[in-house]
Amino acid sequence: MQQHTTTTRSTKIACFVSMFAGVFAAIYAYAAKNPGTALVFGIAAILIGGFSVIKARRSTEDMQVATAGIFMAVVACAVALWQMYN
């Protein structure tokens, strides 16, 4: 039997902040001329996403949103590292 859990408003906000931070970091990594700053933004977005996943561990929908933010932040870090070494 699956139990339905409800999430608080702060959990939803944290998960969407994680997603927007990841998307912002990825866009900045593609558009910026300074890969060092893009890497810092990517790492910060990963940390925000990690906090959001921990906060949203009881709701699958919220965890998916937070995980999307982490994925975009990892993409941002990969792009920044690619720019640094090429």
Side-chain angles (χ1 to χ4, degrees), residues 1-8 11-12 15-16 19 49 52-70:
M1 184 167 118
Q2 186 175 5
Q3 190 175 24
H4 180 70
T5 59
T6 58
T7 57
T8 62
T11 302
K12 288 197 178 289
C15 292
F16 280 108
M19 185 177 67
S52 297
V53 166
I54 291 170
K55 190 164 176 63
R57 67 186 176 273
R58 296 185 183 182
S59 173
T60 305
E61 294 86 13
D62 292 339
M63 277 187 72
Q64 288 174 348
V65 173
T67 304
I70 291 174

Side-chain angles (χ1 to χ4, degrees), residues 31-50:
K33 302 291 184 206
N34 187 356
T37 306
L39 186 63
V40 169
F41 282 158
I43 292 170
I46 289 172
L47 293 175
I48 291 169

